[in-house]
Amino acid sequence: MSDFASDIAAVRAATDRLLAGAGALDDAGAAAPSLLPGWTRGHVFAHIARNADAITNLLTWARTDVKTPMYASPEARDADIERDSARPLAAHLDDLRASADRFDAAAEALPEERREYVVEMRNGVTDQAARLP
């Protein structure tokens, strides 16, 4: 089993690296194609932010025992990414910071005794909350 606190610290460090790298771009750089076919860097930024929110939902589910799916639906997930993909870089950076803050708060609020709680990801795979980060 991994160490939850170390995993959260690793997520924070990775987020800091992402924000530093993304922050070196400009609006044109954020709109440039990514290595993912059909996706710009803005799509990737939007995906990362929405995924952080999705993991926050699962952590909330584990903490409260109230089923909180990652996304309202697969279509809503895709629509949210598409909607957010074309924003200016500053909006992406604000969104990435805010979604990371929500994730941090949800991770910090998860009591140790709820970390073994099993949640279901969007693909039907189940796992313990402690493994989400």
Side-chain angles (χ1 to χ4, degrees), residues 32-41 44:
S34 74
L35 296 177
L36 297 171
W39 272 25
T40 64
R41 290 174 178 156
V44 175

Side-chain angles (χ1 to χ4, degrees), residues 21-118:
L25 298 173
D26 57 15
D27 287 343
S34 74
L35 296 177
L36 297 171
W39 272 25
T40 64
R41 290 174 178 156
H43 284 91
V44 175
F45 296 150
H47 167 67
I48 292 168
R50 298 297 63 82
N51 188 255
D53 286 339
I55 300 299
T56 296
N57 287 345
L58 295 181
L59 290 168
T60 300
W61 178 0
R63 181 177 53 81
T64 64
D65 199 23
V66 175
K67 186 173 183 176
T68 312
M70 292 180 78
Y71 305 98
S73 70
E75 298 78 17
R77 172 198 173 267
D78 295 345
D80 288 347
I81 292 169
E82 192 60 39
R83 176 199 67 215
D84 295 344
S85 66
R87 298 179 298 182
L89 178 63
H92 283 298
L93 294 173
D94 288 345
D95 189 25
L96 288 165
R97 284 186 199 98
S99 64
D101 289 346
R102 289 188 293 272
F103 169 83
D104 280 344
E108 292 295 330
L110 185 65
E112 188 170 347
E113 65 271 12
R114 299 296 291 177
R115 292 181 187 162
E116 292 184 17
Y117 190 90
V118 175

